[in-house]
Amino acid sequence: MAEFVQRRIEDRIPELEQLERIGLLTGKEVRIIIKKVTSLEYKLKRRTVDKQDFLSYLQYEVHLLGLIKKRRQRIGYYFKKEEIEYVIVQRIHKAFQRATSKWQEDLQLWYSHVGFCKKWNCKHQISKIFSALLAVHSDKPTVWLMAAKWEMENNLSAESSRHIFLRALRFHTESSLIYQEYFRMELLNAEKQRKEREEMEKAKMDLGEAGYLESILVGELAGVVYRSAVQAIQGAQFHLSLLSIAKEFNFTKDLQKEILSDLQSRHAQDPFTWDFMAQQELASEPLPSAEYSSKKAKATDMLRKEERCSKIYETALESLNTEPMWNLYIVSCRQRYKRKTNSKELKQMRQERLFQAYRKAHEANMLTEEKYMEWISELMALGEVDSIVEACEWATKRYSQSAALWRARLETLLKLCTTAVDEVFEEAFKHFKLKQAIVVPDSAVSTTMKEQYLDWAYRSKGYKKAKKVFTSLHESRPLSEKFFQKMITIEKEQEHTKMQNLREYYERALREFGTVSPDLWLDYIKEELSHSEGKPQNCGPIHWRAMKMLEGKDVESFVSNYTLLQTGKL
């Protein structure tokens, strides 16, 4: 091993001597490099080589290359690159090849090699790297796309890019992503050739030798890809994605017509087809400029467009009364509703249409849980109290096992301060066991429900019920500091407050939040000092525990406020 490492170091001597001779490195720096490289080379010759050792080796070599480049720029010396940089670059390539051969599954290692080649202008190497990478990771569509994109955009070879896409489709026969990018590539190639031909025509150059094929220029190859794609992958959504790509190019009118015709014939009962048709009404040409001069005329024109758009959705729903279709209609209505306008008539019409859509979808039993939440949120924004209460009730009736909807309903009723909240809590717990209703996966929902339940129990049933609720929940995480503070407040509101109970609540709260809440410790100390049953002698041990548990700025805050408390200024 030592002989091999020594030979590797000796191989470096000529380049290091050159670097010292031309003033890019000092003698001391050369000795440091030899020492460091020797250590790195020994690590690479171990029986079991660690990936991190390879990465450290590569990082050191790349940094050395970067240092040489900066030194050259500083002194303005650009000779002998083949004897110095070229040798280092080749060594880095070999190290990358060894690493990617040993850890083939590490994509980031491959990508780092590609990135290095791009930075140091080793373009001829990149195609080879992608070839080796695809042999190992042919199961990953994104790798094929990167390789094809490189050939098209950097190597300027549409033929090579096309070849990679065709190979990719043998492995991924139903990959929408590969078909979409292959389709885009053929259109980009056609656009590029069209521009080249235009430039040649302007320069009055002979087009005979250029070899431009009319079939490529008009996008026929892209049409072949399109037809192959829609045979392999069904669904209006994918069909529309290809139409969207075609619309990016101004020479694809005929292709767009073909795609649109196929969409209507093949996917007439797909919600996305109807959605597209409806949205086309909004994108239709405006009135002639003479009739479109005033803001009122613009608003009236938009009213007509949105009315036609809505009619198409309504027609679709007559034959396609499904959740996806209703969702698309509501999404469209909501997008229009959110758009700003100075026209009161247009604003009112959008509002009416949106809330009618929510209500009709509800009546058809086609409103999803997410859309119920949206509906409630929009009603809250308008302050429509009766409608909010009604929508909340309908939502929990339809999705009786949804903790999020019950939470929304309870929060709404608590905000409205209605007496119905008691009945709703009871109703909620008929559908859930207590722990299911309060301990839900969403921590924000869970902690809020606990706080609200404790508050409701105290206001509706009194102190004993509140204490019972607290006892049942104080071990059910996640918990909030507010939950404990609420119980402390309830205890202090009693005619005969028991310090023993307050200690229990503070201790439980500190068990959960003692490391992050200096105010909680201070409140506990103040309670011992001010309560008739308090024990001032407990303040010292509480202070010691606080100092032990709190960290960083929380310690500083606690010490500062504790000092103010002792001086009577807090």
Side-chain angles (χ1 to χ4, degrees), residues 76 114 142 170 279 322 331 335 376 380 395 423 425 478 528 563:
V114 172
T142 51
R170 293 177 199 162
Q279 293 299 313
T322 62
V331 166
Q335 286 174 346
I376 293 165
M380 288 288 286
E423 295 175 16
F425 260 115
E528 290 286 9
T563 303

Side-chain angles (χ1 to χ4, degrees), residues 65 85-86 88-90 92-93 113-129 150 155:
L65 205 54
E85 280 93 335
Y86 178 78
I88 298 172
V89 167
Q90 291 306 308
I92 292 171
H93 282 316
H113 194 184
V114 172
F116 170 78
C117 291
K118 287 180 179 178
K119 184 174 180 179
W120 292 95
N121 201 29
C122 306
K123 292 183 179 180
H124 61 285
Q125 283 281 350
I126 295 180
S127 294
K128 294 178 184 178
I129 296 168
W150 164 258
N155 256 6

Side-chain angles (χ1 to χ4, degrees), residues 97-116:
Q97 286 161 6
R98 286 177 64 194
T100 52
S101 176
K102 190 171 183 62
W103 294 284
Q104 294 181 345
E105 74 288 347
D106 189 341
L107 277 172
Q108 193 54 52
L109 206 52
W110 292 93
Y111 295 157
S112 296
H113 194 184
V114 172
F116 170 78

Side-chain angles (χ1 to χ4, degrees), residues 122-325:
C122 306
K123 292 183 179 180
H124 61 285
Q125 283 281 350
I126 295 180
S127 294
K128 294 178 184 178
I129 296 168
F130 274 124
S131 180
L133 175 57
L134 289 170
V136 178
H137 291 283
S138 58
D139 60 322
K140 297 177 177 63
T142 51
V143 176
W144 289 99
L145 293 181
M146 287 177 68
K149 187 177 180 183
W150 164 258
E151 293 296 342
M152 181 65 187
E153 295 180 4
N154 300 87
N155 256 6
L156 304 177
S157 174
E159 189 62 39
S160 297
S161 181
R162 185 179 298 117
H163 180 65
I164 290 172
F165 274 118
L166 289 170
R167 284 179 59 207
L169 288 170
R170 293 177 199 162
F171 290 92
H172 305 279
T173 55
E174 296 182 358
S175 171
S176 58
L177 186 60
I178 288 176
Y179 269 117
Q180 286 163 351
E181 294 308 312
Y182 184 15
F183 182 60
R184 191 192 306 277
M185 186 279 290
E186 291 293 3
L187 290 171
L188 283 168
N189 183 44
E191 183 180 56
K192 175 173 166 286
Q193 291 197 24
R194 289 170 72 92
K195 286 180 179 177
E196 287 175 359
R197 190 177 70 168
E198 284 177 16
E199 292 298 322
M200 290 180 72
E201 287 174 344
K202 286 179 184 177
K204 297 181 179 179
M205 295 172 66
D206 182 16
L207 298 176
E209 296 180 4
Y212 294 118
L213 297 174
E214 193 64 26
S215 58
I216 293 178
L217 294 173
V218 297
E220 280 188 15
L221 276 180
V224 171
V225 176
Y226 155 71
R227 286 183 280 278
S228 175
V230 295
Q231 284 293 329
I233 301 172
Q234 301 300 312
Q237 214 167 355
F238 175 67
H239 215 114
L240 286 165
S241 72
L242 297 179
L243 179 59
S244 177
I245 293 169
K247 284 185 174 181
E248 296 172 14
F249 302 87
N250 59 12
F251 58 89
T252 61
K253 298 297 182 187
D254 291 339
L255 182 57
Q256 289 179 45
K257 287 177 183 177
E258 180 185 349
I259 297 173
L260 189 55
S261 175
D262 289 347
L263 175 71
Q264 292 171 329
S265 62
R266 294 185 185 195
H267 306 291
Q269 290 303 304
D270 191 303
F272 287 101
T273 300
W274 286 100
D275 182 57
F276 173 77
M277 303 271 292
Q279 293 299 313
Q280 287 297 101
E281 292 296 331
L282 298 176
S284 61
E285 292 293 323
L287 291 170
S289 56
E291 301 176 42
Y292 210 66
S293 55
S294 69
K295 290 182 178 180
K296 187 175 180 181
K298 291 179 183 179
T300 303
D301 184 41
M302 186 53 69
L303 270 170
R304 282 197 292 263
K305 286 181 179 180
E306 291 185 10
E307 183 64 32
R308 291 197 300 269
C309 172
S310 182
K311 288 291 183 187
I312 292 175
Y313 280 114
E314 289 168 6
T315 301
L317 287 164
E318 289 174 7
S319 59
L320 206 61
N321 188 22
T322 62
E323 274 188 8
M325 192 68 248

Side-chain angles (χ1 to χ4, degrees), residues 343-390:
S343 169
K344 290 182 179 179
E345 185 183 1
L346 185 55
K347 191 174 183 178
Q348 182 64 30
M349 181 56 70
R350 287 172 175 173
Q351 181 177 310
E352 288 176 6
R353 186 171 287 127
L354 173 63
F355 289 106
Q356 280 177 8
Y358 281 127
R359 184 175 285 270
K360 286 180 179 178
H362 157 71
E363 290 169 354
N365 285 326
M366 292 297 168
L367 200 60
T368 63
E369 182 179 344
E370 179 192 358
K371 294 303 173 196
Y372 270 115
M373 291 291 286
E374 268 182 22
W375 189 10
I376 293 165
S377 174
E378 297 294 354
L379 288 169
M380 288 288 286
L382 290 177
E384 297 281 349
V385 176
D386 293 339
S387 297
I388 296 167
V389 173
E390 192 175 48

